[in-house]
Amino acid sequence: MIMKLIIKLLLNALAVVALSKLLSGVNVDTYTTAIIVAVVLSILNVLVKPILIVLTLPITILTLGLFLLIVNAIIIILADKLIDGFTVNGIWTAALFSILLSVLQSILHSLLKDEKRTKNQ
């Protein structure tokens, strides 16, 4: 279980580094910073995101869930403020980073699951 968590965090850090190379508005200084970003984003998603979702529920319902993109961007900007060496230029860059990070994480985690399926067969 711990090994699975470490592998997921490393895959998330890899996704953060890849997106920092792809997006001009996102900068990660070192690979260690990318790992810290992955850990902090995980913690923020567990602790802060549910509170933000509850607080913004009326506007989320009015926008048919699209406001959750802004909530995700706020989480990214909060990580930017907490971590030296990780910068995001603006809320729209953070929203795009959040969307691409989710897609890339899904792809990487599905590769991890496919690898386990082939080992079990």
Side-chain angles (χ1 to χ4, degrees):
M1 171 130 170
I2 300 275
M3 190 63 163
K4 184 178 178 181
L5 177 67
I6 291 171
I7 290 172
K8 282 188 174 187
L9 285 173
L10 290 175
L11 287 175
N12 292 346
L14 178 67
V16 168
V17 169
L19 289 176
S20 72
K21 304 290 184 199
L22 181 68
L23 297 173
S24 61
V26 179
N27 185 32
V28 178
D29 288 346
T30 64
Y31 293 114
T32 305
T33 304
I35 293 170
I36 294 169
V37 169
V39 170
V40 169
L41 284 177
S42 298
I43 292 169
L44 289 174
N45 280 329
V46 168
L47 298 177
V48 177
K49 189 174 181 179
I51 296 167
L52 287 176
I53 289 172
V54 169
L55 291 175
T56 62
L57 192 58
I59 194 165
T60 301
I61 291 170
L62 283 175
T63 62
L64 302 175
L66 289 176
F67 193 74
L68 290 176
L69 294 172
I70 301 303
V71 171
N72 287 337
I74 291 169
I75 295 292
I76 300 293
I77 290 173
L78 187 57
D80 170 23
K81 301 299 181 202
L82 292 173
I83 303 167
D84 290 333
F86 175 63
T87 56
V88 178
N89 297 336
I91 193 152
W92 297 115
T93 304
L96 181 60
F97 178 80
S98 173
I99 292 167
L100 294 175
L101 184 63
S102 296
V103 170
L104 199 52
Q105 286 174 341
S106 295
I107 292 169
L108 290 173
H109 291 197
S110 71
L111 292 175
L112 185 64
K113 288 179 185 175
D114 285 343
E115 191 176 294
K116 284 185 179 179
R117 286 186 196 140
T118 56
K119 283 183 181 178
N120 290 336
Q121 292 177 354

